[in-house]
Amino acid sequence: MLSLLRIVLALSFSSAWAREIHWISYGAVGTADAASYAAGVIEVTGSLLLILGLFARPAAFVMSGEIAVAYFMLRPAKSFFPLVNGGELEALFCFVFFYFFIAGPGPWSL
C-alpha cells in the first residue's frame, strides 16, 4: 500500500507537467519568474523520481519543503489555518511528502 500511495500521490501532484509543457511548447519560458519555473522543475522532477521510487527520500524532502514555502508565500494572507485560507491540498501534500521522507518509498521502487 505504501508503494501504491506513493505512485498515486506523485501522479496527482504531477499537474505541473502541463504547465511546463505549455511554457516549452509556446516558447514562453522567459515569461514566468524564476521561482515559478524552479517550482515547476522541482514538481516535475520530483514526481518522476517518486513514481519510479528512485531517490524517493530526497525527492520527497525537497517537494515537502517546496510545498511548505508555497503555502507560506500564498495562503497566510487570509489566515494561518488551511481550512480558512483554502490551503488544505498544500498542507496535505506537504505532510504526505514528509511522511515518505521518513518512511521510505516502499517495496515497489528502484
Side-chain angles (χ1 to χ4, degrees), residues 10-11 14-15 24 27 36 41 45-46 50 52 55 62 73 83 108:
L11 286 172
S14 64
S15 63
I24 292 168
S36 175
V41 169
T45 307
L50 276 181
L52 297 174
F55 303 112
V62 170
M73 285 178 66
L83 289 175
W108 299 342

Side-chain angles (χ1 to χ4, degrees), residues 48-102:
L48 282 173
L49 289 174
L50 276 181
I51 289 169
L52 297 174
L54 186 66
F55 303 112
R57 285 181 191 248
F61 183 74
V62 170
M63 292 168 73
S64 176
E66 185 249 341
I67 290 298
V69 167
Y71 176 82
F72 286 112
M73 285 178 66
L74 300 174
R75 299 296 181 178
K78 288 183 182 178
S79 171
F80 174 78
F81 300 103
L83 289 175
V84 177
N85 64 22
E88 297 96 348
L89 248 157
E90 289 93 341
L92 180 67
F93 275 127
C94 180
F95 282 102
V96 176
F97 284 138
F98 194 72
Y99 171 73
F100 279 110
F101 168 67
I102 300 297

Side-chain angles (χ1 to χ4, degrees), residues 5-22:
L5 175 63
R6 184 196 78 234
I7 293 166
V8 170
L9 176 77
L11 286 172
S12 66
F13 190 71
S14 64
S15 63
W17 294 4
R19 182 177 63 211
E20 294 298 316
I21 290 169
H22 179 321

